[in-house]
Amino acid sequence: MVSQPAAADRPLPEPGWYADPLDAARERFWDGTAWTTGLRSLTPAAGLPIGQPQAGRGHAPRIAGRPVPRTTDGVRLAGWWSRFGATLVDGLIILALTLVASAPLLPGFWDACRVWYADAHRAVLMGGQPTPFTDERYGVAGTYTLMFLINRGVGLAYGTALQCFAGATLGMRMLGLRVDRFGRGRTTGGLPLAGALVRNLVFQLAGWLWIAQLANCLWPLFNADRQALHDIAARTQVIDIARRAG
């Protein structure tokens, strides 16, 4: 949740360590515009009681809202809706690439689907049970399985290549996002090849089961570092470069 700005007639406090509004036993770093995720134990200077302002410290700024989740080096983490939008865009791109890669299979696949549908329709009209489309006579299931594997392979190559060489997929770029190693947000370039491969391999494997895919999609909503399961496996975080300074 983004911190609310202070009233227009009241200047924002200077950047520094202040008493954490959520925990009186700790201090939280204020970057001059919003709370960050930087924390440290409250250790008063000699001779001064806890709670009394000290050099470089002060009482917590009275700013409404919770701290903005950030990387260790202070870059804002991407929100769930931005990540979801980027995934949708990438999904459409991968679908288009899959159709191109599967072009030789499509004519036979559609013909097999039409034959199965005609047989199933005829069986229903005659009061019988339609034959499952997985019946080997039609070849629909085998071709579908092959196209599914092509889709997974295209997605793995697409995500790994772009995140390794550019640090972001096309969908991420459109939404102003970038993926970086855990705790970092100010590095340039992409992920190491091993990290990009692990991240995208876990993402693609989660797509085999709808429950795993749903859990992976919703995980950042409940993770303090806004990581999905594939982020945790690869030790990465998605950052919001469009609002890096916010």
Side-chain angles (χ1 to χ4, degrees):
M1 181 181 297
V2 179
S3 298
Q4 300 293 329
D9 58 348
R10 185 175 60 191
L12 292 173
E14 293 295 320
W17 292 95
Y18 295 89
D20 186 358
L22 304 179
D23 186 350
R26 300 186 303 182
E27 290 181 321
R28 187 178 294 272
F29 191 77
W30 171 262
D31 67 3
T33 59
W35 290 111
T36 71
T37 55
L39 294 170
R40 71 180 183 183
S41 299
L42 188 60
T43 54
L48 290 177
I50 293 178
Q52 182 174 340
Q54 303 164 27
R57 301 182 180 181
H59 292 297
R62 297 184 178 277
I63 306 297
R66 297 180 66 84
V68 179
R70 296 174 184 265
T71 59
T72 304
D73 55 3
V75 178
R76 183 189 296 264
L77 296 174
W80 186 85
W81 283 109
S82 297
R83 293 187 59 147
F84 182 71
T87 301
L88 286 181
V89 173
D90 288 329
L92 293 175
I93 295 173
I94 292 170
L95 176 60
L97 294 174
T98 299
L99 292 176
V100 172
S102 305
L105 303 174
L106 293 178
F109 179 72
W110 295 127
D111 288 342
C113 287
R114 282 195 294 267
V115 172
W116 168 78
Y117 178 79
D119 288 350
H121 184 65
R122 188 181 306 110
V124 171
L125 291 178
M126 296 177 64
Q129 286 286 359
T131 305
F133 76 94
T134 54
D135 193 297
E136 294 181 358
R137 292 178 298 170
Y138 302 107
V140 174
T143 305
Y144 175 81
T145 301
L146 181 56
M147 292 174 63
F148 177 81
L149 292 175
I150 292 174
N151 176 262
R152 297 292 101 179
V154 169
L156 178 62
Y158 169 86
T160 301
L162 289 179
Q163 291 172 20
C164 178
F165 294 107
T169 61
L170 298 180
M172 287 180 174
R173 285 187 173 276
M174 289 180 62
L175 274 296
L177 309 180
R178 188 170 69 83
V179 61
D180 207 337
R181 282 170 286 182
F182 183 81
R184 303 183 183 182
R186 302 185 185 276
T187 57
T188 57
L191 295 175
L193 177 58
L197 183 60
V198 169
R199 187 176 193 274
N200 286 277
L201 184 60
V202 174
F203 180 82
Q204 295 301 325
L205 289 176
W208 285 71
L209 294 173
W210 71 266
I211 188 66
Q213 191 170 33
L214 180 63
N216 189 43
C217 177
L218 297 179
W219 208 266
L221 291 173
F222 308 99
N223 181 274
D225 297 312
R226 293 188 176 179
Q227 290 177 292
L229 296 177
H230 56 283
D231 287 311
I232 295 174
R235 290 197 54 77
T236 58
Q237 287 180 299
V238 179
I239 60 175
D240 189 341
I241 58 176
R243 306 170 66 187
R244 182 194 295 254

